[in-house]
Amino acid sequence: MTYSIWRNNLNRSCVTRGRHIRFLLTFFLCVSAILISQAQTDTSTQISVDSAFLKKTLLQANTADYRRFSSEQLFAAALKKKSFTTPYCIVSITDTLGNVIRKRSGVVFANKLVIPFQYDSITAAAKDEFICTEYLVGRRFFSRNVVIHNARTKKIVSIRASAIEYISGSLYIIHVRGKKMLYNSAAQKFSAPLDTYKFIDTLFILTSVAEEYKLLHVNCGSFISSPFKELIHSNDSVYNAILFNAWDIYKNTGEKIFSKLNCDSLKIAAGHGWNIYRNGSMFFRNYSGFHYENAVKPFVPVGTNHCAAVIDKFDYDTMKMRINFDTIFHQSDYLYLYRKVGKYGYCDTIGNVKIAHQYDTITDWHDNMAAIRMKNKWGYVTKREQMTVQPYYTKALPFANGAAAVYDGKKWMFINKEGKNINSVNYDSIKQTVSGKWYVYNKGLTGLCDIDGREIIPPMYQYLLDTQADVLVYKTEGLYGLIAKDRTIICKPVYDQFIYDSTNNCLLLKYIIQTPLLFVIPKQ
């Protein structure tokens, strides 16, 4: 008895559950039918076009008739009677399938079906062309695919568009994945994605995206290839296109990472990257796109390498007793600089004299060499007190990497430890760079020597910048370019401004300011 009751309840619950499923399915199909019917009746807003352009349209729009039938039998009967009198007729068949209203559309030409009933809605567009929409409905999605169907050639333009708007002639606006672009069906060309567009006379289209403009021919080909910031209409037929500044960005290794960024200005961002400005406002913040490397550590120029003389009393008394110096100074390379009778020398920690006190001045040790001054002339000695460079120069800089810069009162040169001139050329002046190299100047022109004094680039440029890498910025005839250490030209001098970004180890170079493009559109 208990089993029987349970069995009856189970059957009743199953019947009730089946009714609920059928009700939910019917409700879902009804909602889907409502959405489809609304989408079919909702015509997309057409973009406004100048009336002058519409009057001058080169290709006439398709003028198709519309007819509706409630069944395929009625349509077949009308087709058999040849009752379609217009060249093109858009036919819609509205019937029911499973108590759900459905609508199918096709196109008839000369009493023949040229576009089958596979679309939900069809709109006439250019000559022989139709905008066809197909709605896709699933349990968890609702989407549509819009195509351009040519009834004469049977060609279908399908790029998964969510909407297509017919403008005039052979021009369309196509919406794909949140972007829109122009399409010319006669030329079979697509434009780049755009935000807005405007017709200039009947032959050109002014498009804009991200505050930059492009001028296209009506066939969607570029008329002005360079993006510009403004188009000025001077008079009835003359136009001026004001161009953006164009920037290239190189790594200091010579690798170009960005080419011709169109903007008004660039500024180095607080972190990594750059801020790009257009029309007075920031267009990109922290614009970047490459892996940043750690900044190159700057070279520490050659200076003193002494430490304070901290001597215990016993050592001090020992050196004092053996040398009887007047004053003892700092320590350099484990030797103490001392002065006696107005002359300078070096001794070790136990008072052994290494460099006798016979020089007016003696510097610290660098590269095992010390500069000495005698009778207002400078030379160099070794730690064995060998005077390898006689006192001849009025200025002498410390040795580094086997070379030292000296000045003879007229010219600068680089010598080795034997006093021989490393380069065959002398220089008017020199200046050490951040990486330890040397800018060298002759007759107002700039060159570069390496740390060891060897000439890398002779003085032949108006300006040089050492980037602490293998690439240098050079300037000639007022323009900047890039050159490698082996004198290979990386890019020719085509820039009128540059920014050295030491944070990102990059070079920002701006092209020569371009004059506005002037063109004339004659009145027709």
Side-chain angles (χ1 to χ4, degrees):
M1 187 68 180
T2 304
Y3 173 79
S4 165
I5 294 174
W6 179 84
R7 181 79 176 183
N8 291 335
N9 291 338
L10 178 62
N11 291 337
R12 187 178 298 109
S13 63
C14 291
V15 172
T16 304
R17 185 179 302 171
R19 289 177 181 175
H20 287 171
I21 292 175
R22 285 197 297 272
F23 174 76
L24 291 175
L25 180 61
T26 304
F27 177 75
F28 173 74
L29 292 177
C30 291
V31 171
S32 301
I34 294 172
L35 291 175
I36 292 175
S37 62
Q38 287 180 351
Q40 291 171 345
T41 56
D42 180 25
T43 58
S44 58
T45 304
Q46 298 293 326
I47 297 178
S48 61
V49 184
D50 297 341
S51 59
F53 177 79
L54 293 176
K55 293 180 181 179
K56 298 179 180 180
T57 300
L58 300 179
L59 296 176
Q60 295 181 353
N62 186 351
T63 56
D65 193 11
Y66 289 85
R67 294 187 63 177
R68 293 186 179 183
F69 296 90
S70 59
S71 66
E72 292 185 7
Q73 291 78 10
L74 295 177
F75 165 71
L79 195 64
K80 185 176 181 180
K81 294 180 181 179
K82 298 182 178 182
S83 60
F84 299 95
T85 57
T86 57
Y88 281 107
C89 183
I90 299 175
V91 178
S92 296
I93 297 178
T94 304
D95 53 10
T96 57
L97 178 63
N99 297 325
V100 177
I101 300 175
R102 66 172 183 171
K103 177 184 176 182
R104 294 168 295 154
S105 299
V107 176
V108 173
F109 175 75
N111 289 288
K112 292 183 179 180
L113 186 65
V114 292
I115 296 180
F117 293 100
Q118 66 184 49
Y119 301 106
D120 293 286
S121 64
I122 297 177
T123 305
K127 185 179 180 181
D128 300 323
E129 294 176 347
F130 296 84
I131 300 175
C132 305
T133 305
E134 179 183 10
Y135 295 93
L136 305 175
V137 180
R139 293 186 61 182
R140 296 183 179 180
F141 69 90
F142 173 77
S143 64
R144 62 180 177 179
N145 182 35
V146 188
V147 301
I148 300 175
H149 197 131
N150 191 302
R152 182 176 58 85
T153 63
K154 308 299 182 184
K155 182 178 179 179
I156 300 175
V157 179
S158 177
I159 56 172
R160 298 182 181 274
S162 58
I164 297 178
E165 304 166 9
Y166 174 62
I167 302 175
S168 186
S170 299
L171 283 175
Y172 297 84
I173 284 285
I174 298 182
H175 298 256
V176 181
R177 298 182 183 91
K179 300 180 180 179
K180 59 183 178 182
M181 63 188 73
L182 288 168
Y183 172 69
N184 188 296
S185 59
Q188 299 182 11
K189 287 184 179 180
F190 290 89
S191 72
L194 54 91
D195 293 334
T196 63
Y197 76 93
K198 176 183 178 182
F199 283 94
I200 306 295
D201 200 71
T202 60
L203 299 178
F204 302 101
I205 307 172
L206 180 66
T207 65
S208 70
V209 58
E211 297 190 24
E212 70 177 21
Y213 294 91
K214 290 184 179 180
L215 193 63
L216 307 180
H217 193 268
V218 74
N219 65 0
C220 292
S222 295
F223 180 73
I224 297 179
S225 57
S226 300
F228 51 92
K229 60 184 298 183
E230 186 180 4
L231 184 66
I232 299 176
H233 190 184
S234 301
N235 54 42
D236 290 343
S237 57
V238 179
Y239 293 83
N240 282 320
I242 309 299
L243 301 179
F244 279 106
N245 294 328
W247 292 75
D248 285 347
I249 300 180
Y250 289 82
K251 287 186 178 181
N252 61 1
T253 58
E255 176 189 357
K256 182 188 283 190
I257 53 177
F258 292 110
S259 179
K260 292 189 176 180
L261 292 175
N262 294 300
C263 59
D264 291 326
S265 61
L266 281 175
K267 291 184 179 180
I268 301 172
H272 289 306
W274 310 275
N275 295 335
I276 299 179
Y277 294 86
R278 285 182 179 173
N279 299 323
S281 59
M282 187 180 297
F283 177 62
F284 277 117
R285 182 186 297 274
N286 295 335
Y287 185 76
S288 60
F290 68 98
H291 173 68
Y292 295 95
E293 299 176 354
N294 294 330
V296 178
K297 295 182 179 179
F299 171 80
V300 179
V302 175
T304 59
N305 61 348
H306 66 265
C307 59
V310 180
I311 311 170
D312 61 30
K313 189 176 184 306
F314 177 78
D315 291 340
Y316 181 85
D317 292 340
T318 301
M319 287 187 290
K320 180 70 172 177
M321 180 180 63
R322 298 190 63 177
I323 302 176
N324 193 24
F325 50 74
D326 297 331
T327 307
I328 193 166
F329 298 94
H330 53 265
Q331 185 181 28
S332 176
D333 278 5
Y334 304 104
L335 295 178
Y336 287 97
L337 176 66
Y338 71 92
R339 183 177 64 190
K340 182 177 181 181
V341 194
K343 300 294 183 178
Y344 293 85
Y346 273 103
C347 68
D348 60 14
T349 56
I350 59 176
N352 295 322
V353 174
K354 298 298 182 179
I355 305 294
H357 54 281
Q358 57 179 327
Y359 305 109
D360 298 333
T361 305
I362 187 169
T363 66
D364 295 325
W365 296 99
H366 298 282
D367 204 7
N368 292 320
M369 299 289 286
I372 53 93
R373 183 169 64 90
M374 297 179 67
K375 297 180 181 179
N376 293 325
K377 295 293 183 179
W378 288 88
Y380 294 90
V381 295
T382 66
K383 287 186 177 180
R384 294 184 178 181
E385 205 171 358
Q386 296 176 344
M387 191 175 295
T388 58
V389 181
Q390 295 298 320
Y392 173 77
Y393 304 102
T394 58
K395 293 180 181 179
L397 300 183
F399 265 90
N401 296 283
V406 293
Y407 180 65
D408 62 3
K410 295 181 180 179
K411 294 285 186 178
W412 284 87
M413 66 193 74
F414 292 94
I415 61 173
N416 58 21
K417 292 183 178 181
E418 287 75 36
K420 295 181 180 180
N421 192 348
I422 296 176
N423 303 310
S424 59
V425 181
N426 298 335
Y427 309 103
D428 295 336
S429 60
I430 62 173
K431 180 181 178 182
Q432 197 165 30
T433 71
V434 293
S435 64
K437 300 182 182 69
W438 296 89
Y439 294 127
V440 292
Y441 305 93
N442 255 350
K443 298 179 181 180
L445 299 178
T446 308
L448 188 73
C449 288
D450 211 340
I451 298 176
D452 57 7
R454 291 182 297 105
E455 190 175 73
I456 300 174
I457 298 175
M460 57 186 298
Y461 297 111
Q462 296 173 340
Y463 175 84
L464 273 178
L465 174 68
D466 177 21
T467 63
Q468 308 184 52
D470 294 334
V471 176
L472 306 168
V473 180
Y474 73 94
K475 181 180 181 181
T476 181
E477 297 181 357
L479 297 176
Y480 297 95
L482 297 180
I483 186 173
K485 288 176 60 177
D486 59 0
R487 304 183 188 180
T488 301
I489 300 296
I490 297 175
C491 64
K492 296 180 179 180
V494 293
Y495 308 99
D496 62 358
Q497 182 183 347
F498 86 94
I499 300 173
Y500 177 49
D501 182 4
S502 59
T503 302
N504 303 311
N505 297 327
C506 291
L507 296 163
L508 287 59
L509 298 106
K510 181 177 75 67
Y511 281 91
I512 304 171
I513 295 178
Q514 304 180 63
T515 57
L517 297 177
L518 177 67
F519 60 95
V520 178
I521 300 178
K523 287 294 181 180
Q524 298 182 359

